[in-house]
């Protein structure tokens, strides 16, 4: 019983570190502040709430329906892990290099982003691809597809916790930027990138092992 409990704790820790690194809510703060710069406090809170709820729903669907998606498209978990490992490694590598990932984040353009009205800001780019981009979807599906219901529940709960953390960071974004400064935020992003690159290599190695029955 204790061994099973320890297994769940280890799995939850791995999922939390992996999803936290790939979502990297710290890096999403400047985008949120830019898109909501013209809004009052109530409107900012509303956009923050909608963005994390939409992102959570996206990950929930892909986590729960992962096996069905595999069956419909004839995808194996090993292939997903190989692809996901490469994808996650590239995102982490670009974060360590100090470049914004072209895989996880959409380039917002050379011109300042013009803030939009209504729910569209919460949907894109905040919910997708910033909080629930291809890397996050692939990672959550990889963690939940080959596990039992308990492991699936852990993935969903962990991502819900990350969404709540992201919401709090969005609300306190202006104060965080003033306190930490851009240099500290850059260091945090690079650390997350290193963790992400290692997780990507681990996923890739496991996928190759399963794919070729090594």
């Amino acid at each position: 019983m204790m061994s099973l409990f320890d297994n769940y704790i280890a799995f939850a820790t791995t999922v939390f570190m992996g999803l936290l690194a790939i979502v990297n809510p710290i890096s999403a703060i400047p985008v949120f502040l830019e898109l909501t710069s013209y809004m009052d406090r109530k409107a900012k809170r509303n956009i923050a709430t909608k963005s994390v709820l939409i992102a959570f729903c996206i990950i929930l669907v892909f986590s729960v329906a992962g096996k069905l998606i595999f069956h419909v498209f004839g995808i194996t978990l090993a292939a997903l892990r190989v692809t996901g490992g490469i994808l996650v490694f590239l995102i982490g590598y670009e974060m360590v290099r100090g470049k914004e990932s072209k895989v996880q984040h959409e380039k917002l353009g050379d011109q300042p982003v013009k803030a939009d009205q209504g729910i569209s800001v919460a949907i894109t780019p905040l919910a997708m691809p910033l909080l629930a981009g291809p890397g996050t979807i692939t990672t959550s599906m990889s963690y939940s597809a080959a596990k039992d219901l308990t492991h699936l529940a852990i993935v969903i709960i962990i991502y819900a916790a990350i969404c709540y953390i992201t919401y709090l960071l969005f609300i306190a974004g202006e104060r965080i930027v003033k306190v930490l400064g851009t240099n500290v935020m850059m260091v945090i992003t690079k650390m997350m990138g290193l963790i992400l690159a290692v997780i990507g290599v681990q996923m890739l190695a496991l996928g190759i092992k399963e794919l070729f029955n090594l």
Side-chain angles (χ1 to χ4, degrees):
M1 184 69 180
M2 194 65 182
S3 176
L4 184 63
F5 181 76
D6 290 340
N7 180 52
Y8 287 146
I9 293 296
F11 178 74
T13 302
T14 302
V15 172
F16 179 77
M17 294 303 296
L19 289 178
L20 182 65
I22 201 166
V23 172
N24 193 13
I26 292 291
S27 68
I29 292 175
V31 179
F32 174 80
L33 294 177
E34 184 178 3
L35 291 172
T36 61
S37 59
Y38 73 103
M39 298 179 182
D40 57 27
R41 187 176 181 83
K42 183 179 179 180
K44 287 182 178 181
R45 190 180 295 271
N46 185 39
I47 293 298
T49 302
K50 288 178 179 177
S51 64
V52 296
L53 285 177
I54 292 169
F56 175 75
C57 289
I58 292 171
I59 297 303
L60 177 64
V61 169
F62 278 97
S63 295
V64 173
K67 290 184 179 179
L68 177 61
I69 294 172
F70 287 171
H71 178 72
V72 171
F73 292 99
I75 302 171
T76 64
L77 179 60
L80 176 67
R81 280 180 172 156
V82 170
T83 305
I86 295 172
L87 184 64
V88 169
F89 172 79
L90 289 175
I91 294 170
Y93 176 69
E94 290 181 5
M95 287 168 62
V96 171
R97 290 183 63 198
K99 294 183 179 181
E100 185 179 8
S101 171
K102 296 177 182 178
V103 180
Q104 175 72 357
H105 303 292
E106 285 183 348
K107 188 175 180 182
L108 298 178
D110 297 327
Q111 300 299 323
V113 176
K114 193 171 183 179
D116 194 5
Q117 297 282 351
I119 197 173
S120 60
V121 169
I123 297 175
T124 181
L126 291 178
M128 193 172 187
L130 288 182
L131 303 182
T136 312
I137 292 171
T138 305
T139 304
S140 62
M141 285 180 64
S142 178
Y143 281 136
S144 60
K147 304 296 181 180
D148 55 30
L149 291 179
T150 303
H151 287 86
L152 173 61
I154 290 174
V155 173
I156 294 172
I157 292 171
I158 291 295
Y159 188 74
I162 291 175
C163 284
Y164 183 66
I165 292 171
T166 303
Y167 169 79
L168 295 178
L169 290 175
F170 279 170
I171 297 303
E174 293 179 356
R175 283 174 288 176
I176 291 172
V177 172
K178 288 180 181 178
V179 172
L180 295 181
T182 54
N183 290 335
V184 175
M185 291 181 68
M186 186 182 301
V187 170
I188 293 173
T189 298
K190 287 182 179 294
M191 288 176 59
M192 290 295 188
L194 180 60
I195 294 172
L196 204 54
V198 173
I199 290 173
V201 171
Q202 189 176 29
M203 287 175 62
L204 177 61
L206 182 59
I208 291 175
K209 183 179 179 181
E210 293 178 352
L211 196 61
F212 296 100
N213 296 316
L214 298 177

